[in-house]
Amino acid sequence: MNDRQGFASDNVAGAMPEVMEALARFNNGFAASYGDDEVCAQAGDLIRGLLDTDAEVHFVASGTAANALCLAALAQPHESVLAHEHSHVATDETGAPGFFGAGMSVIGLHGTSGRIDPAALALALDRPDDPHWQSPAALSLTNATEYGAVYAEADLAALIAPAKARGLKIHLDGARLANAVAAGFDPKAVARLGVDVMVLGGTKAGSTPTEAIVLSDKTLNRRFGARLKHAGQLISKSRFLAAPWIGMLETSAWASRAGHANAMAARLAAIMPFEVVHPVEANAVFVAMDDAVLARLAETGWTVGRVLDGSARFMCSWATKPEAVDILGAALKTVA
Amino acid sequence: MNDRQGFASDNVAGAMPEVMEALARFNNGFAASYGDDEVCAQAGDLIRGLLDTDAEVHFVASGTAANALCLAALAQPHESVLAHEHSHVATDETGAPGFFGAGMSVIGLHGTSGRIDPAALALALDRPDDPHWQSPAALSLTNATEYGAVYAEADLAALIAPAKARGLKIHLDGARLANAVAAGFDPKAVARLGVDVMVLGGTKAGSTPTEAIVLSDKTLNRRFGARLKHAGQLISKSRFLAAPWIGMLETSAWASRAGHANAMAARLAAIMPFEVVHPVEANAVFVAMDDAVLARLAETGWTVGRVLDGSARFMCSWATKPEAVDILGAALKTVA
Amino acid sequence: MNDRQGFASDNVAGAMPEVMEALARFNNGFAASYGDDEVCAQAGDLIRGLLDTDAEVHFVASGTAANALCLAALAQPHESVLAHEHSHVATDETGAPGFFGAGMSVIGLHGTSGRIDPAALALALDRPDDPHWQSPAALSLTNATEYGAVYAEADLAALIAPAKARGLKIHLDGARLANAVAAGFDPKAVARLGVDVMVLGGTKAGSTPTEAIVLSDKTLNRRFGARLKHAGQLISKSRFLAAPWIGMLETSAWASRAGHANAMAARLAAIMPFEVVHPVEANAVFVAMDDAVLARLAETGWTVGRVLDGSARFMCSWATKPEAVDILGAALKTVA
Amino acid sequence: MNDRQGFASDNVAGAMPEVMEALARFNNGFAASYGDDEVCAQAGDLIRGLLDTDAEVHFVASGTAANALCLAALAQPHESVLAHEHSHVATDETGAPGFFGAGMSVIGLHGTSGRIDPAALALALDRPDDPHWQSPAALSLTNATEYGAVYAEADLAALIAPAKARGLKIHLDGARLANAVAAGFDPKAVARLGVDVMVLGGTKAGSTPTEAIVLSDKTLNRRFGARLKHAGQLISKSRFLAAPWIGMLETSAWASRAGHANAMAARLAAIMPFEVVHPVEANAVFVAMDDAVLARLAETGWTVGRVLDGSARFMCSWATKPEAVDILGAALKTVA
């Protein structure tokens, strides 16, 4: 694969050097398994430090699984989770929340650029309980959003407060929290906001496969190991899911490399000859592009796809090179 | 963790050098995600070569998940899977088969040293269908077994034939197939025997987390990617689950390092002052040991636990050092 | 409850005399249980006669369960079922299909008055398989529809043909098939159309709780008793679910009393002072009515609710009296 | 079916006259659906009166479903329920608890005649939590037991106290509570004992299909209607599940007819020429009988089957006639 495919997603990048170094470092010797090892403990401490919270931390290999498992821990099968209608949990996980939750459903809410409209949330919260629909038990938020926007702390607070007032639990999909943080979002806000459980993204930030489940509501931690194992999510050689976090967090790499990804998106937006349809606050650029243009782009070897709202998405990562952005910019001008 | 904990399991070992080298090698550049990358293709070819079969291959991070997902693909929720009563799927996966299979059950069969007794199988196969129990739809076998024994090809054939005659599908848990192969089992036998789906073990063989799902019955491959994603088992940066296989299989490391593990078990058995209660054919030694002895051993820093049949298990791996075995042997003499 | 609540649904009516008589008649003596009794056999024969098909028939107590169980038999957990976006299985079963199907999803299609638009179906069928969404494995149709319309045989054929061409199985929710039949739909069309599984409605037709699962695709019948039991749907004293069918079908009551319900809806439509927004082809009248009118109606004791498309629904049943319709008509004029 | 099949189970009997009368009586007029009707309210009051407790009451059509649903409300998917190893939930529900509970498991405990041995319970309670097994969240008891024995209140207290001390919830399968009550068990003991949820049996007591879910722990009632609907257990014409309870409880029929069933079992035991292997305290007689005897009995038209412990079961019901018992006794002497 060459640089022309590098904008397809942030998961086509490899792992950053800090991750590879840590994997090699913690490979030495024997280590306890199933999360009982020192590497998991150390990585957990770094995450607790980052977030300034005394949460329980578990590591899994898949973000889809991490989100779905957490939602299933928050809502009963006959209940639902409120989320943005275009959020990953609502649209891009092949029904995983329904599988982990035994038929639990995700109810989609409107809002621009992946941010939930408070009025849409209010409407959903106002609907009375009824045996004939799945009443919500949790609110799922995503920061940065699926459309590259970043919620400010106050924006999240405005959604969390009414949800908590109705007794809902709060889930944060932080697959791209590093990008939000690089854009100015304070990671310590997660705890302040009363998020009950967060999935902190490692993979898209530039790691080998690892996501951290952060249980700020520690009552959720009861028998959580069994919950993970039962759902096929308890990895035996857990050190290999924990070590990348040490590599990313003992340095500033997790946030600074996300800052690089964000900067590459900004660089691309600045030279973009097509209409940019969402705010470029994180590591993605969404543009209006007709089929003919997309086809011409594909002909010259660039991999770009449409997303759910019809826009074309260009995704940057820690591995995106400035010169690749510039070449892409030139190519776009050619097909425009 | 020191060498004294190294016999607790084969999953307390790190990854062999060939795996770490391959991870670094395939980390370069961009790669497609979700199994569509060249690394997965290349690893799949090596596995097809090892097994001499034109199977479909998928990579997941957890053996529990791999087994449970495969069993759910073979049996309906109102059906069951026959397996040894002490097999991993029956006893050590916290109900994962029931979760992936929506209440599908595993029915345990007797047999010495983890090998299913053909008479016990016959009895289960003879039970007529009835709405009041979960009739079997699949037979799950394990080689090497949970008790360190190795089925010969003929032994497996004697179990598979009657099961197939009743229409059951065949699953092979090959978490320790490398150890079986090192003990003389021909990996090409898997296809000859008509195994429909196998989980080929990477982790216990000495890899970072990765297991290969091998679909010899290619009709099972229909929408298997969606099945994986739905169950939280489709890893985005799939190259990191595939690369270890290249490292292990392009060299002879997968089998030869399992041979080392087996040799370490044999070395331990040879100097074992306690009764060895199962044949030492793979990488484990099971012994009769009373509580007082276990306690004295623990006092001197050795981690050993009882398993389901009451015996104490000593597990060797690619990382077990001969001198550690000898020190353990001496320690055992002291507490005997 | 008085006549003013009688238009709330067709499930607020009791059971027709033919049903009560049959319950009493078949209560005598001992009978085998779990569907193995003569009463089930006889009721099955009557249903096979009605439909002119050699299908397998099972009786359950809940239409929600019957539909969800059948859909789960047609689609895997990582697959989906296509249905009208306002169909009962899509909107009014509290996620039951997802529960019975372990996360299987229902994808809603557009269309007027509950009838699926063939163009919407074509679009859904054209979407290629992809691990990131739940591809359809079945098409679910409803006749009469949720909005009181009746599909003609040719309408259904136009939906079934393209779905079958793509390998989808066909489910028919016949909760109100009696009303469709009374409106002219030939019950023998179900088999002609290649419907694989139908839920034939007893309750709304005027029975005590009973629905018939009709498996025209007899391969689905394998271990279906176990499937029912596993899902909590195998009733021990099965004669009481079968007897009502004998009462309804050995006479002409099932269709003729549905004809009465349809006539009552037509009578109401004829005197309705509000805009009727769906064709009145079965036993319901849907009208445009603002909140103030609904409130005035409620004040005078009438139970009427809005349904999903915002219209107010008046439902007639075998038990609806002509004079109650006329009184309702007068009341509506008063509040108009 | 004739009297010779009448001893096969208590579910081969029809419904008692009091039930049929109540069905007819409450069939008149319109009634709210989904449990919101006056009939359900009145039946709930009678049950609360019987049990002397302010519990929430719901009606479902299947005992298997009622039990499985309740257990799923008490235990998470990665947890288990402790029950007698031969209890209905453990052995005779085709995996329904695992289906309703998304892989939740039932762990079987030893004990004579279906009564759990307190020592076996203590052992299970003492096992520490561990991610690799499904720790118990509830204890399920059955009275009368699967083997026709009746727990005294003190016996149950001795099991409930240690379970509650460990935080387990208590489920009582009261499919044959009427028989226990007729044998002297005080129905008011259920609340005194701190049972959290009971399934009160209607069907086996002599009703058309209906079981009452009694939620003494009223926190379980939150969104219970949605839980029922989601699981396909919310019957629309709910009055028909409630009316039988009014018929059975406004008279003394529920207990007195169970007393008749118990008396018939005692009558049979008194003339039984084979060894009776369980105490005859309720409505069943279990005897040691070899295959040749069973075959001779079958030849003369008697339906008798072996149960899980190998004994032959003769079941009496409200409909068992004394003269049929005597004829059976004579037949048994002939084949002995």
Side-chain angles (χ1 to χ4, degrees), chain D residues 6-317:
Chain D
F7 295 91
S9 174
D10 31 11
N11 61 32
V12 300
M16 62 174 77
E18 293 85 350
V19 163
M20 298 307 288
E21 182 280 325
L23 283 175
R25 184 182 358 148
F26 291 101
N27 185 41
N28 289 324
F30 296 103
S33 45
Y34 299 113
D36 293 334
D37 53 292
E38 285 302 310
V39 194
C40 283
Q42 192 177 332
D45 284 345
L46 285 166
I47 288 171
R48 282 182 283 270
L50 172 74
L51 302 171
D52 192 24
T53 178
D54 181 33
E56 300 285 348
V57 177
H58 302 267
F59 301 99
V60 299
S62 151
T64 293
N67 282 331
L69 190 84
C70 289
L71 297 184
L74 298 180
Q76 293 285 312
H78 53 286
E79 295 180 324
S80 63
V81 172
L82 303 177
H84 190 275
E85 61 183 337
H86 286 190
S87 65
H88 209 264
V89 298
T91 68
D92 209 22
E93 301 191 336
T94 318
F99 175 64
F100 282 80
M104 178 195 73
S105 75
V106 177
I107 295 179
L109 303 179
H110 296 282
T112 54
S113 298
R115 283 187 277 233
I116 294 173
D117 177 359
L121 174 62
L123 210 66
L125 293 175
D126 280 350
R127 185 168 166 181
D129 271 15
D130 180 328
H132 302 282
W133 82 297
Q134 292 174 277
S135 297
L139 170 65
S140 175
L141 301 163
T142 308
N143 207 18
T145 76
E146 210 61 20
Y147 288 113
V150 175
Y151 279 109
E153 182 173 350
D155 298 339
L156 291 175
L159 295 168
I160 290 174
K164 289 228 155 194
R166 301 294 174 107
L168 273 68
K169 292 280 186 181
I170 310 299
H171 165 260
L172 180 64
D173 179 353
R176 295 192 182 100
L177 194 77
N179 302 99
V181 166
F185 182 79
D186 181 1
K188 295 176 173 44
V190 174
R192 276 196 301 267
L193 285 161
V195 168
D196 294 291
V197 50
M198 171 167 64
V199 176
L200 186 63
T203 309
K204 287 171 177 162
S207 176
T208 50
T210 187
E211 308 290 312
I213 294 175
V214 180
L215 302 175
S216 296
D217 175 352
K218 294 174 82 165
T219 65
L220 294 170
N221 201 53
R222 183 163 186 265
R223 296 179 175 171
F224 203 84
R227 184 185 285 275
L228 287 169
K229 180 82 188 236
H230 179 72
Q233 295 297 329
L234 190 63
I235 299 297
S236 58
K237 291 186 177 175
S238 41
R239 65 168 111 172
F240 293 109
L241 299 193
W245 287 99
I246 300 177
M248 293 189 288
L249 291 180
E250 68 181 1
T251 63
S252 64
W254 184 73
S256 66
R257 289 192 181 273
H260 170 82
N262 290 4
M264 291 302 99
R267 184 183 189 108
L268 178 58
I271 58 174
M272 176 59 69
F274 298 94
E275 184 197 356
V276 175
V277 298
H278 293 296
V280 180
E281 298 171 353
N283 60 323
V285 181
F286 295 83
V287 301
M289 202 175 258
D290 65 29
D291 285 347
V293 170
L294 267 184
R296 284 200 295 276
L297 208 54
E299 272 165 31
T300 51
W302 295 89
T303 302
V304 193
R306 287 200 193 286
V307 293
L308 207 56
D309 72 345
S311 63
R313 185 183 78 166
F314 296 88
M315 208 83 201
C316 299
S317 72

Side-chain angles (χ1 to χ4, degrees), chain A residues 12 15 27 31 33 94 203 230 237, chain B residues 11-12 15 27 31 94 203 230 237:
Chain A
V12 300
N27 185 41
S33 44
T94 318
T203 309
H230 179 73
K237 291 186 177 176
Chain B
N11 61 32
V12 299
N27 184 42
T94 319
T203 309
H230 180 72
K237 291 186 176 176

Side-chain angles (χ1 to χ4, degrees), chain C residues 1 3 11-15 20 27 30-33 61 64 92 94-96 99-100 203 207 229-233 235 237 239, chain D residues 1 11-15 20 27 30-33 61 64 92 94-96 99-100 203 207 229-233 235 237 239:
Chain C
M1 219 180 185
D3 287 354
N11 61 33
V12 300
M20 297 307 289
N27 185 41
F30 296 104
S33 44
T64 293
D92 209 21
T94 318
F99 174 65
F100 282 79
T203 309
S207 175
K229 180 83 189 242
H230 179 72
Q233 295 298 329
I235 299 296
K237 291 186 177 175
R239 65 169 113 172
Chain D
M1 218 178 187
N11 61 32
V12 300
M20 298 307 288
N27 185 41
F30 296 103
S33 45
T64 293
D92 209 22
T94 318
F99 175 64
F100 282 80
T203 309
S207 176
K229 180 82 188 236
H230 179 72
Q233 295 297 329
I235 299 297
K237 291 186 177 175
R239 65 168 111 172

Side-chain angles (χ1 to χ4, degrees), chain B residues 268-328:
Chain B
L268 178 59
I271 58 174
M272 175 59 68
F274 298 95
E275 184 197 356
V276 174
V277 298
H278 293 297
V280 180
E281 298 170 353
N283 60 323
V285 182
F286 295 83
V287 301
M289 203 176 256
D290 65 28
D291 285 347
V293 170
L294 266 185
R296 285 199 295 275
L297 208 54
E299 273 165 30
T300 51
W302 295 90
T303 303
V304 194
R306 288 200 194 286
V307 294
L308 207 57
D309 74 345
S311 63
R313 185 183 78 165
F314 296 88
M315 208 82 199
C316 300
S317 73
W318 74 272
T320 305
K321 295 173 212 140
E323 47 280 23
V325 172
D326 297 342
I327 295 169
L328 171 58

